[in-house]
Each structure stands twice: as C-alpha cells, then as structure tokens.
mmCIF file of all heavy atoms in Angstrom:
data_model
loop_
_atom_site.group_PDB
_atom_site.id
_atom_site.type_symbol
_atom_site.label_atom_id
_atom_site.label_comp_id
_atom_site.label_asym_id
_atom_site.label_seq_id
_atom_site.Cartn_x
_atom_site.Cartn_y
_atom_site.Cartn_z
ATOM 1 N N GLY Q 26 -4.390 -15.945 20.058
ATOM 2 C CA GLY Q 26 -3.662 -15.259 21.079
ATOM 3 C C GLY Q 26 -4.220 -15.681 22.508
ATOM 4 O O GLY Q 26 -3.362 -15.897 23.444
ATOM 5 N N ALA Q 27 -5.503 -15.788 22.651
ATOM 6 C CA ALA Q 27 -6.054 -16.085 23.883
ATOM 7 C C ALA Q 27 -5.756 -17.481 24.289
ATOM 8 O O ALA Q 27 -5.442 -17.821 25.505
ATOM 9 C CB ALA Q 27 -7.548 -15.875 23.889
ATOM 10 N N VAL Q 28 -5.807 -18.384 23.330
ATOM 11 C CA VAL Q 28 -5.493 -19.827 23.651
ATOM 12 C C VAL Q 28 -3.993 -19.978 24.038
ATOM 13 O O VAL Q 28 -3.680 -20.656 25.019
ATOM 14 C CB VAL Q 28 -5.799 -20.716 22.460
ATOM 15 C CG1 VAL Q 28 -5.228 -22.123 22.604
ATOM 16 C CG2 VAL Q 28 -7.328 -20.754 22.218
ATOM 17 N N VAL Q 29 -3.126 -19.348 23.321
ATOM 18 C CA VAL Q 29 -1.697 -19.420 23.616
ATOM 19 C C VAL Q 29 -1.366 -18.837 24.967
ATOM 20 O O VAL Q 29 -0.681 -19.404 25.723
ATOM 21 C CB VAL Q 29 -0.850 -18.714 22.523
ATOM 22 C CG1 VAL Q 29 0.605 -18.520 22.919
ATOM 23 C CG2 VAL Q 29 -0.948 -19.480 21.193
ATOM 24 N N ALA Q 30 -2.085 -17.665 25.241
ATOM 25 C CA ALA Q 30 -1.826 -17.030 26.595
ATOM 26 C C ALA Q 30 -2.324 -17.974 27.703
ATOM 27 O O ALA Q 30 -1.701 -18.082 28.754
ATOM 28 C CB ALA Q 30 -2.536 -15.736 26.644
ATOM 29 N N ALA Q 31 -3.505 -18.599 27.472
ATOM 30 C CA ALA Q 31 -4.070 -19.477 28.448
ATOM 31 C C ALA Q 31 -3.122 -20.713 28.746
ATOM 32 O O ALA Q 31 -2.971 -21.167 29.882
ATOM 33 C CB ALA Q 31 -5.446 -20.004 27.986
ATOM 34 N N VAL Q 32 -2.570 -21.234 27.637
ATOM 35 C CA VAL Q 32 -1.629 -22.376 27.776
ATOM 36 C C VAL Q 32 -0.386 -21.937 28.557
ATOM 37 O O VAL Q 32 0.134 -22.668 29.363
ATOM 38 C CB VAL Q 32 -1.279 -23.071 26.453
ATOM 39 C CG1 VAL Q 32 -0.186 -24.073 26.621
ATOM 40 C CG2 VAL Q 32 -2.563 -23.660 25.831
ATOM 41 N N CYS Q 33 0.064 -20.719 28.281
ATOM 42 C CA CYS Q 33 1.243 -20.152 28.955
ATOM 43 C C CYS Q 33 0.932 -20.127 30.506
ATOM 44 O O CYS Q 33 1.729 -20.520 31.352
ATOM 45 C CB CYS Q 33 1.606 -18.795 28.514
ATOM 46 S SG CYS Q 33 2.408 -18.773 26.867
ATOM 47 N N VAL Q 34 -0.261 -19.597 30.873
ATOM 48 C CA VAL Q 34 -0.632 -19.543 32.218
ATOM 49 C C VAL Q 34 -0.716 -20.963 32.820
ATOM 50 O O VAL Q 34 -0.257 -21.228 33.911
ATOM 51 C CB VAL Q 34 -1.947 -18.787 32.417
ATOM 52 C CG1 VAL Q 34 -2.498 -18.894 33.872
ATOM 53 C CG2 VAL Q 34 -1.770 -17.309 31.969
ATOM 54 N N ALA Q 35 -1.264 -21.896 32.055
ATOM 55 C CA ALA Q 35 -1.438 -23.241 32.548
ATOM 56 C C ALA Q 35 -0.131 -23.911 32.937
ATOM 57 O O ALA Q 35 -0.055 -24.500 33.996
ATOM 58 C CB ALA Q 35 -2.215 -24.100 31.450
ATOM 59 N N VAL Q 36 0.843 -23.792 32.108
ATOM 60 C CA VAL Q 36 2.140 -24.452 32.384
ATOM 61 C C VAL Q 36 2.842 -23.801 33.638
ATOM 62 O O VAL Q 36 3.649 -24.417 34.283
ATOM 63 C CB VAL Q 36 3.069 -24.545 31.234
ATOM 64 C CG1 VAL Q 36 2.424 -25.391 30.113
ATOM 65 C CG2 VAL Q 36 3.447 -23.169 30.639
ATOM 66 N N VAL Q 37 2.516 -22.500 33.830
ATOM 67 C CA VAL Q 37 3.095 -21.852 35.001
ATOM 68 C C VAL Q 37 2.341 -22.288 36.190
ATOM 69 O O VAL Q 37 2.973 -22.562 37.312
ATOM 70 C CB VAL Q 37 3.073 -20.360 34.785
ATOM 71 C CG1 VAL Q 37 3.434 -19.594 36.069
ATOM 72 C CG2 VAL Q 37 4.007 -19.857 33.692
ATOM 73 N N VAL Q 38 0.980 -22.320 36.201
ATOM 74 C CA VAL Q 38 0.174 -22.747 37.296
ATOM 75 C C VAL Q 38 0.563 -24.168 37.697
ATOM 76 O O VAL Q 38 0.637 -24.523 38.901
ATOM 77 C CB VAL Q 38 -1.289 -22.670 37.007
ATOM 78 C CG1 VAL Q 38 -2.094 -23.379 37.997
ATOM 79 C CG2 VAL Q 38 -1.707 -21.174 36.939
ATOM 80 N N LEU Q 39 0.840 -25.031 36.693
ATOM 81 C CA LEU Q 39 1.169 -26.389 37.050
ATOM 82 C C LEU Q 39 2.632 -26.545 37.518
ATOM 83 O O LEU Q 39 3.075 -27.674 37.892
ATOM 84 C CB LEU Q 39 1.022 -27.325 35.791
ATOM 85 C CG LEU Q 39 -0.478 -27.478 35.320
ATOM 86 C CD1 LEU Q 39 -0.559 -28.108 33.970
ATOM 87 C CD2 LEU Q 39 -1.321 -28.317 36.357
ATOM 88 N N ARG Q 40 3.376 -25.411 37.394
ATOM 89 C CA ARG Q 40 4.814 -25.395 37.840
ATOM 90 C C ARG Q 40 5.607 -26.286 36.958
ATOM 91 O O ARG Q 40 6.615 -26.928 37.441
ATOM 92 C CB ARG Q 40 4.955 -25.694 39.248
ATOM 93 C CG ARG Q 40 4.406 -24.616 40.237
ATOM 94 C CD ARG Q 40 4.965 -23.185 39.841
ATOM 95 N NE ARG Q 40 4.586 -22.139 40.799
ATOM 96 C CZ ARG Q 40 3.720 -21.176 40.582
ATOM 97 N NH1 ARG Q 40 3.080 -21.077 39.475
ATOM 98 N NH2 ARG Q 40 3.510 -20.216 41.533
ATOM 99 N N TRP Q 41 5.278 -26.448 35.694
ATOM 100 C CA TRP Q 41 6.094 -27.128 34.736
ATOM 101 C C TRP Q 41 7.227 -26.226 34.277
ATOM 102 O O TRP Q 41 8.311 -26.635 33.867
ATOM 103 C CB TRP Q 41 5.334 -27.585 33.542
ATOM 104 C CG TRP Q 41 4.315 -28.680 33.803
ATOM 105 C CD1 TRP Q 41 3.968 -29.292 34.928
ATOM 106 C CD2 TRP Q 41 3.406 -29.157 32.808
ATOM 107 N NE1 TRP Q 41 3.034 -30.128 34.780
ATOM 108 C CE2 TRP Q 41 2.594 -30.146 33.506
ATOM 109 C CE3 TRP Q 41 3.170 -28.983 31.451
ATOM 110 C CZ2 TRP Q 41 1.590 -30.908 32.844
ATOM 111 C CZ3 TRP Q 41 2.194 -29.724 30.809
ATOM 112 C CH2 TRP Q 41 1.398 -30.687 31.508
ATOM 113 N N HIS Q 42 6.875 -24.891 34.199
ATOM 114 C CA HIS Q 42 7.766 -23.938 33.599
ATOM 115 C C HIS Q 42 7.723 -22.632 34.300
ATOM 116 O O HIS Q 42 6.774 -22.237 34.967
ATOM 117 C CB HIS Q 42 7.407 -23.691 32.124
ATOM 118 C CG HIS Q 42 7.559 -24.904 31.235
ATOM 119 N ND1 HIS Q 42 8.827 -25.254 30.787
ATOM 120 C CD2 HIS Q 42 6.670 -25.715 30.713
ATOM 121 C CE1 HIS Q 42 8.674 -26.390 30.041
ATOM 122 N NE2 HIS Q 42 7.310 -26.640 29.948
ATOM 123 N N TYR Q 43 8.777 -21.855 34.154
ATOM 124 C CA TYR Q 43 8.888 -20.435 34.510
ATOM 125 C C TYR Q 43 8.080 -19.658 33.379
ATOM 126 O O TYR Q 43 7.996 -20.152 32.254
ATOM 127 C CB TYR Q 43 10.294 -19.902 34.652
ATOM 128 C CG TYR Q 43 11.065 -20.476 35.773
ATOM 129 C CD1 TYR Q 43 12.216 -21.256 35.560
ATOM 130 C CD2 TYR Q 43 10.645 -20.187 37.097
ATOM 131 C CE1 TYR Q 43 12.930 -21.820 36.648
ATOM 132 C CE2 TYR Q 43 11.435 -20.706 38.132
ATOM 133 C CZ TYR Q 43 12.536 -21.541 37.927
ATOM 134 O OH TYR Q 43 13.311 -22.029 38.909
ATOM 135 N N PRO Q 44 7.638 -18.542 33.756
ATOM 136 C CA PRO Q 44 6.936 -17.669 32.713
ATOM 137 C C PRO Q 44 7.896 -17.423 31.550
ATOM 138 O O PRO Q 44 7.475 -17.390 30.366
ATOM 139 C CB PRO Q 44 6.659 -16.361 33.408
ATOM 140 C CG PRO Q 44 6.384 -16.824 34.821
ATOM 141 C CD PRO Q 44 7.369 -17.895 35.078
ATOM 142 N N THR Q 45 9.202 -17.205 31.719
ATOM 143 C CA THR Q 45 10.087 -16.964 30.586
ATOM 144 C C THR Q 45 10.265 -18.171 29.767
ATOM 145 O O THR Q 45 10.576 -18.131 28.560
ATOM 146 C CB THR Q 45 11.513 -16.409 31.095
ATOM 147 O OG1 THR Q 45 11.871 -17.284 32.176
ATOM 148 C CG2 THR Q 45 11.343 -14.976 31.499
ATOM 149 N N ASP Q 46 10.090 -19.365 30.293
ATOM 150 C CA ASP Q 46 10.112 -20.613 29.497
ATOM 151 C C ASP Q 46 8.910 -20.665 28.495
ATOM 152 O O ASP Q 46 9.039 -21.030 27.377
ATOM 153 C CB ASP Q 46 10.052 -21.895 30.420
ATOM 154 C CG ASP Q 46 11.176 -22.014 31.406
ATOM 155 O OD1 ASP Q 46 12.297 -21.446 31.014
ATOM 156 O OD2 ASP Q 46 11.023 -22.642 32.438
ATOM 157 N N ALA Q 47 7.776 -20.211 29.022
ATOM 158 C CA ALA Q 47 6.551 -20.152 28.246
ATOM 159 C C ALA Q 47 6.716 -19.154 27.107
ATOM 160 O O ALA Q 47 6.403 -19.427 25.970
ATOM 161 C CB ALA Q 47 5.355 -19.892 29.110
ATOM 162 N N LEU Q 48 7.261 -17.923 27.481
ATOM 163 C CA LEU Q 48 7.478 -16.913 26.419
ATOM 164 C C LEU Q 48 8.450 -17.430 25.368
ATOM 165 O O LEU Q 48 8.296 -17.127 24.206
ATOM 166 C CB LEU Q 48 7.992 -15.640 27.122
ATOM 167 C CG LEU Q 48 6.940 -14.921 27.996
ATOM 168 C CD1 LEU Q 48 7.630 -13.730 28.671
ATOM 169 C CD2 LEU Q 48 5.726 -14.418 27.196
ATOM 170 N N GLY Q 49 9.513 -18.146 25.837
ATOM 171 C CA GLY Q 49 10.440 -18.717 24.849
ATOM 172 C C GLY Q 49 9.771 -19.678 23.852
ATOM 173 O O GLY Q 49 10.044 -19.707 22.743
ATOM 174 N N GLY Q 50 8.810 -20.445 24.397
ATOM 175 C CA GLY Q 50 8.036 -21.381 23.556
ATOM 176 C C GLY Q 50 7.207 -20.658 22.607
ATOM 177 O O GLY Q 50 7.128 -21.052 21.451
ATOM 178 N N VAL Q 51 6.636 -19.567 22.967
ATOM 179 C CA VAL Q 51 5.826 -18.738 22.002
ATOM 180 C C VAL Q 51 6.753 -18.224 20.927
ATOM 181 O O VAL Q 51 6.388 -18.367 19.678
ATOM 182 C CB VAL Q 51 5.217 -17.521 22.700
ATOM 183 C CG1 VAL Q 51 4.538 -16.635 21.677
ATOM 184 C CG2 VAL Q 51 4.149 -17.966 23.670
ATOM 185 N N CYS Q 52 7.903 -17.749 21.249
ATOM 186 C CA CYS Q 52 8.873 -17.232 20.216
ATOM 187 C C CYS Q 52 9.314 -18.332 19.294
ATOM 188 O O CYS Q 52 9.380 -18.137 18.053
ATOM 189 C CB CYS Q 52 10.065 -16.573 20.909
ATOM 190 S SG CYS Q 52 9.714 -15.017 21.720
ATOM 191 N N VAL Q 53 9.562 -19.499 19.824
ATOM 192 C CA VAL Q 53 10.078 -20.584 18.894
ATOM 193 C C VAL Q 53 8.914 -21.111 18.059
ATOM 194 O O VAL Q 53 9.168 -21.289 16.820
ATOM 195 C CB VAL Q 53 10.651 -21.775 19.792
ATOM 196 C CG1 VAL Q 53 11.002 -22.941 18.906
ATOM 197 C CG2 VAL Q 53 11.880 -21.290 20.485
ATOM 198 N N GLY Q 54 7.671 -21.339 18.579
ATOM 199 C CA GLY Q 54 6.675 -21.890 17.877
ATOM 200 C C GLY Q 54 6.214 -21.001 16.713
ATOM 201 O O GLY Q 54 6.185 -21.331 15.629
ATOM 202 N N VAL Q 55 5.970 -19.747 17.033
ATOM 203 C CA VAL Q 55 5.467 -18.731 16.068
ATOM 204 C C VAL Q 55 6.645 -18.400 15.090
ATOM 205 O O VAL Q 55 6.468 -18.370 13.943
ATOM 206 C CB VAL Q 55 4.972 -17.391 16.759
ATOM 207 C CG1 VAL Q 55 4.616 -16.343 15.749
ATOM 208 C CG2 VAL Q 55 3.751 -17.733 17.580
#
C-alpha cells in the first residue's frame, strides 16, 4: 500500500497525471 501510494504521488508530482488518473490506475491494477 505504501509503495502504490508513493507511486501515485510521484506521477502527480511529475505532472504526468491528475490524482484521479492515479486512483483509476489503482482500481484497474488491483
């Protein structure tokens, strides 16, 4: 959970994705 959360934060900090894009990725992957 910590690793997934950190990657979510990373893609937002890099401005690759919106936070909801990252949450969508969590839902699809899991």
Side-chain angles (χ1 to χ4, degrees):
V28 170
V29 170
V32 172
C33 287
V34 171
V36 298
V37 171
V38 166
L39 293 169
R40 293 305 190 251
W41 294 359
H42 295 285
Y43 292 115
T45 49
D46 299 334
L48 293 174
V51 173
C52 290
V53 173
V55 174

